[in-house]
Amino acid sequence: MEEAPIPCPGERRRDASATRRRLLEAARDLFAERGYDGTTVREIAERAEANQALLFRYFGSKKGLLTEVVAQGGLERLRATPPEELFEASLRSMLSGSATGASDRSLEVYLRSVGRGDEAAGTLRELGEEYQSALATLSGAEDGALRADLAMAWLLGIGLLRTVVAREPLASADPETVCRLVLGALDHVWSARPPDGSEPDGAGDGPTGPRD
């Protein structure tokens, strides 16, 4: 009887890499759909068609898996995106990236998970703080951090109504229509006079430059 061929080290490495990727993708989608606390390690392994033991071998724990999901999706994308493009990129991802297979669902994970358990809080808090810091640079006003929080609240509120509550007409609205309405109004948040009536730096220009 012929002996089965022994996989070479390169093949084993490729298999491990593919399994690790499937586990990350499965965790990303389940965390986005159900939240961190609502997802079990068993469900992640089943969706990835992998053994639970491999999840612990590659990531150490469910929290370790969440950390990598957020790092590879949200934090990598955030740090690679110019601040003036960040809100629009995140909004478009929220509006059209909720389907399984989307490359970045970190804001959906944040939306469904933050504030619902201590285990995930630190990782998700870092993501929220980095978004706020990046967006705060778009206004020259002293209350730029407040304006950034208002922008984040709007972004997450849109995600809540569209993907969690599925409230109409927002749930089925055309992403381009939503972007046009939201981005036009958001320019005013960045450029509006602060409460003391002084003129913020760059007033009158949106984050992407003057508008005609």
Side-chain angles (χ1 to χ4, degrees):
M1 177 182 293
E2 263 186 51
E3 293 185 4
I6 299 174
C8 70
E11 289 174 331
R12 285 198 293 269
R13 282 195 297 272
R14 283 195 296 273
D15 289 344
S17 176
T19 301
R20 197 176 190 281
R21 185 182 67 251
R22 291 200 311 273
L23 285 166
L24 273 172
E25 291 172 352
R28 174 201 64 200
D29 290 334
L30 283 167
F31 291 156
E33 293 163 13
R34 305 178 189 178
Y36 178 81
D37 286 345
T39 300
T40 67
V41 168
R42 179 178 180 178
E43 289 169 335
I44 295 169
E46 286 178 352
R47 182 170 292 196
E49 298 181 346
N51 192 295
Q52 288 184 54
L54 294 176
L55 185 153
F56 291 106
R57 178 189 300 176
Y58 297 143
F59 303 101
S61 64
K62 188 173 78 163
K63 183 180 178 182
L65 186 51
L66 172 70
T67 299
E68 190 142 353
V69 165
V70 171
Q72 285 201 358
L75 292 176
E76 265 188 23
R77 176 172 182 169
L78 190 157
R79 292 164 184 168
T81 304
E84 64 271 16
E85 298 174 12
L86 181 61
F87 186 95
E88 180 173 357
S90 301
L91 177 61
R92 290 185 181 279
S93 177
M94 186 77 79
L95 291 171
S96 59
S98 58
T100 299
S103 60
D104 178 22
R105 302 186 69 184
S106 57
L107 284 181
E108 289 177 81
V109 175
Y110 183 94
L111 182 64
R112 290 184 184 268
S113 305
V114 72
R116 300 187 184 181
D118 292 336
E119 187 179 9
T123 299
L124 294 170
R125 190 181 302 116
E126 180 186 3
L127 179 66
E129 287 172 353
E130 290 216 22
Y131 263 92
Q132 195 255 23
S133 296
L135 292 174
T137 66
L138 299 179
S139 172
E142 290 184 3
D143 61 349
L146 172 60
R147 297 173 190 233
D149 270 351
L150 291 171
M152 277 292 291
W154 198 0
L155 180 64
L156 293 172
I158 290 170
L160 176 68
L161 289 180
R162 184 175 174 98
T163 66
V164 179
V165 179
R167 177 170 175 150
E168 296 293 353
L170 181 57
S172 59
D174 173 51
E176 290 301 323
T177 300
V178 176
C179 284
R180 175 173 52 81
L181 293 170
V182 171
L183 296 174
L186 188 67
D187 276 352
H188 181 69
V189 174
W190 305 133
S191 61
R193 290 175 182 271
D196 62 7
S198 61
E199 192 78 13
D201 295 339
D205 295 351
T208 56
R211 290 181 179 267
D212 295 332

